[in-house]
Amino acid sequence: MHDLDILHQEHRELLRLTEAVMEAAGEITPSFEKIAAARHALGQAGSRHVMSKLAIVTRALQDSADPRHHALSRRFTDELMALRQSASEHYGTWTMARVKEDPREFRMAVRSQYRALKARILWEEKEVLPIVGTLLAASAPGAAPRHAAGIR
């Protein structure tokens, strides 16, 4: 599987896992064990995905000779870390004890995280991954000489 295909697949999985948390929290009588398990799976997938992104996207952008790619790499990484920090704060705020106290508010907080994640994924897939794909294709064995991939 191609590196970018892995990232696309992981994006879909993160959205699915976030939806699973919302679904578990939205049950008439929420199963807090189910919520905890869904949150754990999401956290694990999120951590793996961040590492994949740093290895694939940041590396490709930093390996480029184009300073615009370096700037994009910095923005990509800074915003990725901000999203990760937001997720960590969410987990810190929404302990399982607090989830049990106010499941409705928890669902609203998860929806907010979901919207931020979805917006980030849309930006990456529209603006960043096509550039990275061009860079990866150019660096593949047997590829034509490298030309800078455009920043849109």
Side-chain angles (χ1 to χ4, degrees):
M1 185 178 288
H2 189 274
D3 286 344
L4 294 184
D5 293 334
I6 291 168
L7 293 179
H8 287 290
Q9 180 180 5
E10 288 178 353
H11 283 163
R12 303 290 85 69
E13 180 72 358
L14 288 170
L15 291 172
R16 186 192 67 73
L17 289 169
T18 305
E19 290 165 356
V21 172
M22 290 188 296
E23 181 180 314
E27 293 178 357
I28 293 170
T29 305
S31 163
F32 296 103
E33 293 77 25
K34 202 171 175 181
I35 293 170
R39 288 179 67 176
H40 179 74
L42 175 59
Q44 294 294 311
S47 294
R48 283 189 307 273
H49 184 63
V50 167
M51 297 308 292
S52 294
K53 282 183 180 180
L54 293 175
I56 297 167
V57 175
T58 305
R59 182 193 66 224
L61 292 170
Q62 287 297 317
D63 285 351
S64 170
D66 190 329
R68 295 173 300 170
H69 295 158
H70 293 193
L72 181 60
S73 175
R74 282 189 298 280
R75 176 182 171 197
F76 177 87
T77 302
D78 289 348
E79 291 178 8
L80 179 62
M81 293 300 107
L83 183 63
R84 189 73 177 146
Q85 179 64 35
S86 173
S88 293
E89 289 169 4
H90 171 84
Y91 276 79
T93 299
W94 287 101
T95 62
M96 286 309 298
R98 179 130 185 253
V99 171
K100 289 176 183 177
E101 290 172 9
D102 196 351
R104 182 181 170 281
E105 192 67 30
F106 171 70
R107 284 190 304 275
M108 291 181 359
V110 173
R111 279 189 200 101
S112 177
Q113 290 288 307
Y114 180 82
R115 286 190 299 272
L117 175 63
K118 194 167 189 176
R120 169 68 188 206
I121 288 170
L122 291 172
W123 173 72
E124 286 182 12
E125 291 186 355
K126 181 180 179 199
E127 302 294 332
V128 180
L129 297 185
I131 294 167
V132 171
T134 301
L135 292 170
L136 291 174
S139 66
R146 269 175 93 157
H147 299 284
I151 302 280
R152 294 173 216 154

